[in-house]
């Protein structure tokens, strides 16, 4: 019959711990051997190579460094430094302002990036493209309305019920063609937004060669 060395409680023959006080009742040599094996297992585990995916700290550091390659002056202008892409633009400039420049192609909203990203060459390029696009779009709308007004005067005169005129079909066809032509400006807007979001410096077809902002 065995008894606990700590509290004297009676133990069963196969007991490893005292049910009363929790004392380890194994021989001291066995306890020491178990502890030694546990330490060995922990050391072996620590020395095993970790084959799981590890975060690329170098890449994160490079990205962080790229994003930090600019300083803001007290007057609100930015000064960019660091690597330059194939278009001659600072990578930090492109990464900082490419999504802000979406407003460049949304009409008068081009004023937002123009004033928020002073000193950004990348922003000024896309703002210039947006200004040209806005001017051309407004000019086309004005010209379209003038043409339709002249056409109504020539075909219908002063009648108030020109919708019932036999010439209304001709007017309707011309009006539809002019309306569909205006979709070109929608396509140019999408093209410009795509370019700025992908970090590209590409002029809009036909009209993009003109410069207002240097």
């Amino acid at each position: 019959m065995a008894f606990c060395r700590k509290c004297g409680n009676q133990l069963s023959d196969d007991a490893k711990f005292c049910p009363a006080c929790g004392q380890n009742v194994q021989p001291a040599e066995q306890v020491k051997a178990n502890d030694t094996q546990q330490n060995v297992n922990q050391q072996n585990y620590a020395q095993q190579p970790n084959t799981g995916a590890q975060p690329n700290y170098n890449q994160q550091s490079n990205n962080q460094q790229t994003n930090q390659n600019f300083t803001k002056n007290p007057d609100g202008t930015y000064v960019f430094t660091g690597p330059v892409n194939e278009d001659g633009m600072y990578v930090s400039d492109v990464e900082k302002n490419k999504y802000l420049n979406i407003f460049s192609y949304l009409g008068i909203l081009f004023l937002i990036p123009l004033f928020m990203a002073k000193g950004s060459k990348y922003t000024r390029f896309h703002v210039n493209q947006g200004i040209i696009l806005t001017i051309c779009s407004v000019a086309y709308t004005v010209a379209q309305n003038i043409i339709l007004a002249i056409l109504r005067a020539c075909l219908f005169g002063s009648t108030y019920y020109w919708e019932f005129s036999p010439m209304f079909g001709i007017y309707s066809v011309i009006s539809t063609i002019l309306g569909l032509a205006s979709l070109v400006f929608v396509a140019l807007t999408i093209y410009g937004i795509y370019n700025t979001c992908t970090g590209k410096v590409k002029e809009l077809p036909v009209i993009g060669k003109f410069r207002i902002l240097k």
Side-chain angles (χ1 to χ4, degrees), residues 129-164:
Q129 297 289 292
I131 292 175
I132 297 298
L133 178 61
T134 300
I135 293 175
C136 292
S137 178
V138 171
Y140 178 83
T141 301
V142 172
Q144 179 184 12
N145 291 332
I146 293 175
I147 291 172
L148 292 178
I150 295 174
L151 191 62
R152 286 195 299 269
C154 294
L155 294 178
F156 312 121
S158 60
T159 179
Y160 294 100
Y161 301 101
W162 49 271
E163 293 89 346
F164 301 102

Side-chain angles (χ1 to χ4, degrees), residues 24-204:
N24 191 338
V25 297
Q26 291 180 318
E29 294 78 4
Q30 183 64 33
V31 173
K32 184 176 180 180
N34 291 341
D35 291 342
T36 301
Q37 184 62 38
Q38 184 178 4
N39 292 334
V40 171
N41 293 338
Q42 291 177 350
Q43 292 176 0
N44 291 337
Y45 178 80
Q47 294 174 357
Q48 289 179 355
N50 190 346
T51 58
Q54 296 292 328
N56 192 338
Y57 295 107
N58 291 333
Q59 183 65 34
Q60 292 177 359
S61 177
N62 291 336
N63 291 339
Q64 185 178 11
Q65 182 64 32
T66 298
N67 293 333
Q68 291 178 348
N69 284 335
F70 61 87
T71 55
K72 186 176 181 179
N73 296 325
D75 61 355
T77 60
Y78 284 88
V79 177
F80 296 92
T81 57
V84 177
N85 61 18
E86 63 275 7
D87 296 315
M89 299 290 177
Y90 285 110
V91 176
S92 56
D93 185 2
V94 174
E95 291 300 318
K96 183 180 188 303
N97 295 307
K98 62 181 180 181
Y99 296 118
L100 175 65
N101 291 342
I102 291 175
F103 293 105
S104 300
Y105 297 94
L106 301 179
I108 194 64
L109 295 181
F110 68 78
L111 293 173
I112 295 177
L114 180 62
F115 288 105
M116 290 186 63
K118 298 177 181 179
S120 168
K121 184 179 178 182
Y122 184 68
T123 294
R124 291 183 69 84
F125 171 84
H126 284 285
V127 168
N128 179 81
Q129 297 289 292
I131 292 175
I132 297 298
L133 178 61
T134 300
I135 293 175
C136 292
S137 178
V138 171
Y140 178 83
T141 301
V142 172
Q144 179 184 12
N145 291 332
I146 293 175
I147 291 172
L148 292 178
I150 295 174
L151 191 62
R152 286 195 299 269
C154 294
L155 294 178
F156 312 121
S158 60
T159 179
Y160 294 100
Y161 301 101
W162 49 271
E163 293 89 346
F164 301 102
S165 171
M167 304 299 292
F168 179 73
I170 297 176
Y171 174 83
S172 180
V173 170
I174 296 177
S175 177
T176 301
I177 293 175
L178 292 176
L180 292 176
S182 65
L183 295 178
V184 171
F185 297 101
V186 177
L188 291 176
T189 298
I190 296 174
Y191 180 73
I193 291 175
Y194 170 78
N195 284 339
T196 184
C197 289
T198 54
K200 297 179 180 178
V201 181
K202 288 188 176 181
E203 296 178 347
L204 297 176

